[in-house]
Amino acid sequence: MDKKIICLFGPQGSGKGTQAKILTDRLNIPHISTGDLFRIAIESKTDLGQQVESILKSGELVPDQLTFDLLKERISQNDCAGGFVLDGFPRTLNQARLLDQYVEINHIVVIDISDKESLKRLTNRRYHVKTGEIYNLYTSPKPSKEIEPELVQRADDTEEAIKTRLQTYHSETEPLFVYYKEKVMHVNGEQSIDKVAQDIAKSLNISI
Ligand code: AMP
């Protein structure tokens, strides 16, 4: 594989973050998640963070240009020179067009799971503030008894916000699979983490 700009798509809870981490460890390139960039801005109470906090909480999308500007600033940093794994961007046709004018995505991987599975995984997803690790009370990785009391839920992992996010994924993001055409590869996300990682590696023609 020559260039390494890989974009992961999938409904909320499909395991994009987990798989992005496996890929970035293997390929030695950074994992860029626009959701993470927004959450860092919110935690740091920057102007941007204050601007987007209520949008994230509701599960709506942040305006395209604002999101693209944040992403552009991140991917122009030195560590992205050799490529990166994108998680959560682009999410609309307009964002895809903005990105196209800037870089060319080489590989698109869609991790498919049903809405029912997404809802089940997300309502059980928990976050360990101290370490930043993500756990799941329903799937894996499950937290230990010691860690469980220290876990919190993401503000947008409520049933109402998850439904809004899924609806937006279907109406705004899925049309991108037609836009990117032959670059798109689908992987079944309702398998073990290892099996999903193997299927992604196979579709990218790399070994994990
Ligand atoms: P995520 O962690 O990818 O689920 O993103 C969390 C939230 O951040 C989303 O529900 C949106 O409010 C916002 N967000 C992340 N990426 C984007 C994007 N590409 N465009 C617009 N909003 C985004």
Side-chain angles (χ1 to χ4, degrees):
M1 213 167 54
D2 36 343
K3 279 194 217 159
K4 287 178 283 185
I5 301 182
I6 301 164
C7 185
L8 295 182
F9 283 99
Q12 286 66 27
S14 57
K16 295 188 295 292
T18 305
Q19 296 298 332
K21 189 169 183 319
I22 294 172
L23 274 177
T24 56
D25 286 350
R26 162 68 182 79
L27 298 170
N28 206 18
I29 51 175
H31 165 206
I32 314 291
S33 151
T34 39
D36 283 350
L37 295 177
F38 284 131
R39 281 185 288 277
I40 290 167
I42 292 169
E43 269 163 41
S44 319
K45 300 198 186 311
T46 62
D47 287 349
L48 173 73
Q50 282 169 7
Q51 214 176 324
V52 301
E53 187 166 9
S54 62
I55 303 179
L56 261 80
K57 200 167 175 189
S58 71
E60 308 273 343
L61 290 182
V62 175
D64 289 336
Q65 192 64 49
L66 193 63
T67 310
F68 179 63
D69 288 345
L70 180 74
L71 177 83
K72 201 162 70 169
E73 202 261 314
R74 177 64 189 89
I75 63 179
S76 64
Q77 289 170 19
N78 286 344
D79 62 334
C80 292
F84 44 88
V85 178
L86 267 184
D87 157 8
F89 193 96
R91 265 168 144 108
T92 66
L93 207 48
N94 190 27
Q95 290 183 9
R97 291 189 177 125
L98 288 168
L99 187 65
D100 268 358
Q101 290 164 24
Y102 197 67
V103 289
E104 189 194 345
I105 296 181
N106 310 110
H107 305 276
I108 312 264
V109 179
V110 185
I111 308 174
D112 292 309
I113 61 167
S114 68
D115 285 5
K116 196 173 155 208
E117 181 70 12
S118 168
L119 202 61
K120 197 146 70 167
R121 288 186 188 182
L122 259 58
T123 46
N124 285 289
R125 181 159 73 175
R126 297 292 183 274
Y127 174 68
H128 191 226
V129 182
K130 256 191 248 166
T131 60
E133 292 294 326
I134 307 283
Y135 295 91
N136 201 292
L137 307 177
Y138 156 69
T139 55
S140 56
K142 285 208 169 75
S144 65
K145 283 270 166 289
E146 293 76 53
I147 280 190
E148 207 173 314
E150 296 175 14
L151 300 179
V152 296
Q153 204 169 9
R154 247 172 68 169
D156 58 349
D157 278 350
T158 58
E159 194 163 333
E160 203 190 336
I162 295 165
K163 285 188 175 152
T164 304
R165 288 154 70 201
L166 279 173
Q167 224 167 38
T168 308
Y169 178 75
H170 295 310
S171 62
E172 302 280 335
T173 308
E174 280 181 348
L176 294 181
F177 308 158
V178 178
Y179 174 81
Y180 285 118
K181 293 189 220 117
E182 67 277 0
K183 285 184 184 168
V184 178
M185 290 165 287
H186 286 265
V187 164
N188 175 8
E190 294 192 30
Q191 312 180 87
S192 70
I193 292 173
D194 284 350
K195 181 67 174 74
V196 176
Q198 279 169 23
D199 286 357
I200 292 176
K202 211 190 292 171
S203 71
L204 296 174
N205 210 12
I206 55 169
S207 57
I208 291 272

